[in-house]
């Protein structure tokens, strides 16, 4: 029997091929919510997607040693791989923050093989609240974090409203 769709009803989009999982087809999303985040470290860009549609891109600052994946605590690198935005802090020492689920099982295994601590506490966040850190950030240092992904406060507000907890994030070299 043929099925009929209501006028304006959105049909499920095919899954986007990616190394990271996207939210399952049929997962309810409002029109303005992203279901996937992609960070391209080399381009210093964070992109929000809903299905295959690019919603918006934002410039980012990365860890002070941006080349290569994060290997251990204190290496000042931003991770690379597939993670989830798993919780948020509205009263962070930065202008809001959304936690990235680094280290994943692969990161933990590799760090264990090297007998290193993989580190953690990797976030997407706005500017620091500390005046000294804020001055350094505004002073033109392109990559100033300890491994996090930083955006402007205005961009952080948009990301905060557009991305829900549980959204997959892929961080590419």
């Amino acid at each position: 029997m043929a099925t009929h769709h209501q006028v304006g009803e959105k049909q499920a989009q095919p899954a986007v091929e990616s190394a990271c999982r996207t939210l399952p087809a049929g997962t309810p999303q409002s029109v303005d919510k992203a279901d996937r985040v992609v960070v391209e470290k080399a381009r210093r860009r964070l992109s929000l997607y809903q299905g295959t549609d690019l919603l918006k891109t934002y410039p980012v600052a990365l860890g002070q040693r941006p080349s290569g994946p994060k290997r251990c605590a204190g290496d000042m690198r931003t991770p690379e791989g597939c993670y989830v935005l798993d919780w948020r802090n509205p009263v962070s020492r930065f202008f809001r923050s959304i936690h990235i689920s680094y280290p994943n099982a692969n990161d933990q295994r590799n760090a264990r093989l090297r007998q290193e601590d993989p580190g953690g506490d990797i976030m997407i966040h706005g500017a620091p609240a500390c005046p000294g850190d804020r001055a350094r950030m505004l002073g033109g240092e392109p990559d100033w974090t300890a491994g996090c992904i930083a955006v402007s406060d205005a961009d952080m507000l948009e990301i905060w409203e557009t991305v829900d907890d549980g959204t997959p994030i892929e961080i590419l070299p």
Side-chain angles (χ1 to χ4, degrees):
M1 166 164 35
T3 60
H4 298 280
H5 296 283
Q6 298 291 327
V7 173
E9 184 178 325
K10 204 171 187 180
Q11 294 186 12
Q13 297 292 321
V16 177
E17 289 201 31
S18 169
C20 291
R21 293 179 157 205
T22 58
L23 294 177
T27 300
Q29 292 287 317
S30 71
V31 173
D32 59 347
K33 289 289 186 174
D35 60 14
R36 181 169 57 105
V37 177
V38 176
V39 174
E40 297 166 274
K41 289 172 48 174
R43 292 183 164 181
R44 305 296 190 281
R45 179 170 67 187
L46 180 150
S47 300
L48 301 179
Y49 290 89
Q50 184 181 63
T52 58
D53 296 332
L54 175 64
L55 298 177
K56 191 152 184 187
T57 63
Y58 304 90
V60 299
L62 303 170
Q64 294 173 37
R65 295 181 62 207
S67 295
K70 183 164 194 60
R71 293 172 47 102
C72 63
D75 68 4
M76 308 304 272
R77 289 192 166 135
T78 301
E80 295 174 2
C82 296
Y83 305 96
V84 173
L85 300 175
D86 54 1
W87 55 269
R88 56 190 62 220
N89 184 356
V91 292
S92 164
R93 65 185 191 117
F94 297 91
F95 181 76
R96 299 189 183 182
S97 60
I98 302 175
H99 187 258
I100 298 169
S101 64
Y102 174 86
N104 63 24
N106 189 50
D107 299 318
Q108 291 173 2
R109 183 181 64 253
N110 289 337
R112 202 171 32 254
L113 290 172
R114 293 187 307 270
Q115 298 180 355
E116 296 175 325
D117 174 0
D121 204 24
I122 302 296
M123 316 287 271
I124 299 172
H125 61 68
C130 171
D133 288 342
R134 186 176 278 273
R136 197 172 88 208
M137 180 203 77
L138 297 173
E141 288 187 42
D143 295 311
W144 55 268
T145 77
C148 293
I149 298 165
V151 295
S152 73
D153 291 353
D155 291 349
M156 189 65 209
L157 277 173
E158 287 184 16
I159 294 166
W160 185 271
E161 293 299 323
T162 307
V163 177
D164 289 332
D165 292 351
T167 300
I169 179 171
E170 183 173 12
I171 306 172
L172 303 170

